[in-house]
Amino acid sequence: MSSHKDKVALVTGAARGLGLATATKFLDQGWRVAMLDILGDTLREAVTGLDQAGRVLVLEADVSDPIKVAAAVRQTQARFGRIDALVNNAGIAIFKPILEVTLEDWSRVMAVNLTGPFLMTQAVAPLMRDQGGGAIVNITSISGLRASTLRVAYGTSKAGLAHLTKQQAAELGEYGIRVNAIAPGPVDTAMAKAVHTPEIRADYHDHIPLNRYGLEAELANAICFLCGDQSGYITGQVIAVDGGFDSTGIGLPTLRGQRKNS
């Protein structure tokens, strides 16, 4: 097995948020990292802040464009010689009532959230196969496991990605390639802070056994675990990293109150 200083991760959607947190975690563990994002200026600014120029490759690309995906994988191989882990994190969300979602909205969400991970994996898997194996982590969502309002395109794309994960695991396992998915629940990202009102946050807390939002660093920990040697017999899994949100039905606030008063 390669030591961490030899290992290479390719992280999409790496300019900010969970992608940046994951890339940072890999770097902290001694990996070299190819960071890919469509937001080139934001990505370059983030990489400058990391101060890891010799161990980072900047890739500006749209994951739904097969030509740019192939070029990005070639650049990564040329720079680092291998790819041990692929994190398919790039994604977009268009939140609208179902009857207001246009075909253009639907098509773009599917292209990035579902076709993107398909294309990235198709491009990276032959390299992993030839080098003896690797690990792929797809970032789906709790919205792919539980339906909610305003998410007809986003939730459906993430549900598709959860099943794509299982298909990839079933067919790539013989090459030593493991494929798993993380399904984040409510996470305290900059976007959540901007759009989740106190009322929305209270609603989420009411249905999360741990009674709080997750942290990007906690999700990055799970992703890096699934890419590492300690998870060597785990594949084909969709793991909800959500504070228990997916496991819980209605009535949690009332039950908490009864417990406190008993």
Side-chain angles (χ1 to χ4, degrees):
M1 300 298 292
S2 301
S3 66
H4 280 181
K5 69 181 178 62
D6 297 322
K7 286 192 170 184
V8 177
L10 196 169
V11 181
T12 72
R16 57 190 180 187
L18 178 56
L20 179 57
T22 301
T24 301
K25 180 71 176 180
F26 276 124
L27 289 167
D28 289 345
Q29 292 183 344
W31 292 56
R32 295 169 292 168
V33 183
M35 298 173 63
L36 183 151
D37 206 291
I38 196 172
L39 302 174
D41 291 341
T42 305
L43 177 60
R44 284 183 282 272
E45 182 178 352
V47 170
T48 298
L50 292 173
D51 195 25
Q52 297 272 6
R55 298 169 56 215
V56 174
L57 173 64
V58 173
L59 300 167
E60 183 176 352
D62 181 342
V63 296
S64 69
D65 184 329
I67 294 175
K68 292 183 179 179
V69 164
V73 172
R74 285 196 302 269
Q75 286 179 260
T76 304
Q77 184 178 17
R79 170 72 178 274
F80 294 131
R82 60 187 298 116
I83 299 175
D84 298 280
L86 168 65
V87 180
N88 284 313
N89 171 68
I92 62 171
I94 297 176
F95 295 148
K96 289 182 180 180
I98 188 169
L99 297 182
E100 296 178 13
V101 174
T102 66
L103 178 59
E104 182 180 6
D105 293 334
W106 173 274
S107 298
R108 182 57 182 161
V109 170
M110 294 298 166
V112 176
N113 294 1
L114 187 54
T115 302
F118 168 77
L119 292 173
M120 290 297 307
T121 299
Q122 294 292 100
V124 169
L127 175 58
M128 288 183 171
R129 176 197 61 198
D130 293 346
Q131 71 192 23
I136 298 169
V137 177
N138 296 321
I139 309 304
T140 177
S141 170
I142 204 69
S143 294
L145 304 178
R146 297 178 64 166
S148 185
T149 58
L150 310 180
R151 289 165 169 79
V152 63
Y154 179 76
T156 303
S157 72
K158 292 299 188 177
L161 182 56
H163 190 74
L164 178 62
T165 298
K166 294 179 181 292
Q167 287 290 152
Q168 291 169 334
E171 298 195 51
L172 297 176
E174 64 181 295
Y175 305 124
I177 301 171
R178 298 182 297 105
V179 189
N180 294 289
I182 290 291
V187 181
D188 218 5
T189 61
M191 182 177 72
K193 291 175 182 176
V195 303
H196 285 190
T197 64
E199 292 78 14
I200 290 174
R201 295 181 74 90
D203 285 343
Y204 273 120
H205 281 217
D206 282 348
H207 292 281
I208 300 173
L210 292 185
N211 201 23
R212 65 175 177 85
Y213 279 44
L215 302 176
E216 290 172 345
E218 292 174 314
L219 291 162
N221 287 341
I223 293 165
C224 290
F225 167 74
L226 289 174
C227 291
D229 296 340
Q230 290 183 323
S231 61
Y233 200 52
I234 301 175
T235 195
Q237 303 304 304
V238 179
I239 301 174
V241 184
D242 65 350
F245 181 67
D246 184 50
S247 69
T248 307
I250 63 173
L252 188 58
T254 300
L255 292 171
R256 281 177 176 153
Q258 288 177 349
R259 186 179 60 216
K260 290 177 182 177
N261 294 329
S262 61

